Amino acid sequence: MTAPTAPVILFDDDHYMYVLKDQAFAEAWWEMPDEFTVGFDALARPLSMTGEPLDVRLALAGEEPEEAELRRLVADHYRSHLRGQMPPQATALADFVAALPREGR
């Protein structure tokens, strides 16, 4: 399998979304693998996380995009954590991902 395409979009166990610039940054930034719920790369392919605290690894969990699920989770994040703000409305996936707020720019 190929490496995840940047950025990576991760959701924690509180359904909070983190958009991280790339796989290496995400692996250095994310501390606890058990707080990871679900993730996607920029092509909406699902990610898995393995490892120990302070030593996590991300990998593609499949090659098939799950764009509808990514968009649903982003909408849930906005509804729960960014009340009063609207998620990106872009139709094209690349534009949608580019409009997401990023951590550690």
Side-chain angles (χ1 to χ4, degrees):
M1 249 185 227
T2 60
T5 300
V8 295
I9 304 113
L10 307 179
F11 295 87
D12 69 13
D13 53 357
D14 291 324
H15 307 287
Y16 194 88
M17 175 183 71
Y18 302 85
V19 182
L20 305 169
K21 68 180 183 175
D22 59 25
Q23 178 181 359
F25 182 83
E27 290 174 345
W29 192 80
W30 201 271
E31 294 179 353
M32 303 297 289
D34 62 341
E35 292 178 350
F36 172 84
T37 302
V38 65
F40 302 89
D41 74 351
L43 302 177
R45 298 177 297 180
L47 300 175
S48 64
M49 183 180 286
T50 59
E52 301 295 325
L54 304 176
D55 185 27
V56 301
R57 296 285 170 252
L58 280 176
L60 286 174
E63 290 290 335
E64 287 299 314
E66 296 181 7
E67 184 175 348
E69 181 66 0
L70 171 60
R71 287 178 183 267
R72 184 188 69 76
L73 289 167
V74 168
D76 288 350
H77 167 78
Y78 272 78
R79 201 169 19 262
S80 298
H81 300 285
L82 299 175
R83 292 187 180 131
Q85 296 183 44
M86 293 292 296
Q89 301 299 306
T91 305
L93 178 61
D95 296 334
F96 177 80
V97 169
L100 295 173
R102 303 232 180 146
E103 303 285 337
R105 282 189 181 248

